[in-house]
């Protein structure tokens, strides 16, 4: 019997980003993840367009919209890989955890110790 794949959402890592394409490739190579949803830019239109361009079925304009929409789906995402610029990772991780989803996060989580605390 084939193993079930973890339904994964992505934040950050648009085309041209350094680490995003690596995360997407690794998730596909591992064959334990199904890349289903994502937010790829702070610009809502670019985010949705980028998802379509890189073959992610459900592109969203922002993280809050993605988390709410995915929570309402019976096949919604189960985890989020977070890889935008350092200054936004902690807030996105907090929102993702508040939505009861698992987090995979690039390092560093924040820019300084005060922000981490």
């Amino acid at each position: 019997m084939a193993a079930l794949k973890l339904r994964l959402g992505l934040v950050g890592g648009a085309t041209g980003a350094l680490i995003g394409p690596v995360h997407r490739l690794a998730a596909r190579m591992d064959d334990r993840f199904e890349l289903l949803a994502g937010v790829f830019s702070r610009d809502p239109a670019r985010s949705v367009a980028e998802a379509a361009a890189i073959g992610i079925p459900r592109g969203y304009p922002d993280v809050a919209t993605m988390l709410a929409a995915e929570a309402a789906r019976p096949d919604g995402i189960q985890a989020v890989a977070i890889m935008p610029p350092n200054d936004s990772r902690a807030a996105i991780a907090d929102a993702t955890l508040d939505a009861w989803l698992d987090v995979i996060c690039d390092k560093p989580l924040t820019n300084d110790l005060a922000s981490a605390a």
Side-chain angles (χ1 to χ4, degrees), residues 69-97:
E70 290 296 313
R73 298 178 63 99
D75 64 344
I77 57 175
Q78 299 166 301
V80 176
I82 300 170
M83 54 199 128
N86 301 352
D87 66 344
S88 58
R89 291 181 188 158
I92 295 166
D94 284 345
T96 301
L97 291 169

Side-chain angles (χ1 to χ4, degrees), residues 2 5 7-8 20 51 63 71 75 83 89 96 99 102 110 113-115:
K5 293 182 182 182
R7 297 183 305 270
L8 185 63
V63 173
D75 64 344
M83 54 199 128
R89 291 181 188 158
T96 301
D102 290 323
T110 65
L113 182 58
S115 298

Side-chain angles (χ1 to χ4, degrees), residues 9-20:
L10 308 169
V11 178
T15 301
L18 176 65
I19 201 67

Side-chain angles (χ1 to χ4, degrees), residues 38-106:
V39 178
F40 298 96
S41 173
R42 292 178 183 178
D43 175 289
R46 179 174 178 228
S47 178
V48 172
E50 181 70 17
I54 61 176
I56 303 298
R58 301 188 293 263
Y60 292 98
D62 57 67
V63 173
T65 302
M66 178 179 76
L67 294 174
E70 290 296 313
R73 298 178 63 99
D75 64 344
I77 57 175
Q78 299 166 301
V80 176
I82 300 170
M83 54 199 128
N86 301 352
D87 66 344
S88 58
R89 291 181 188 158
I92 295 166
D94 284 345
T96 301
L97 291 169
D98 286 345
W100 291 94
L101 297 173
D102 290 323
V103 169
I104 302 166
C105 190
D106 253 359

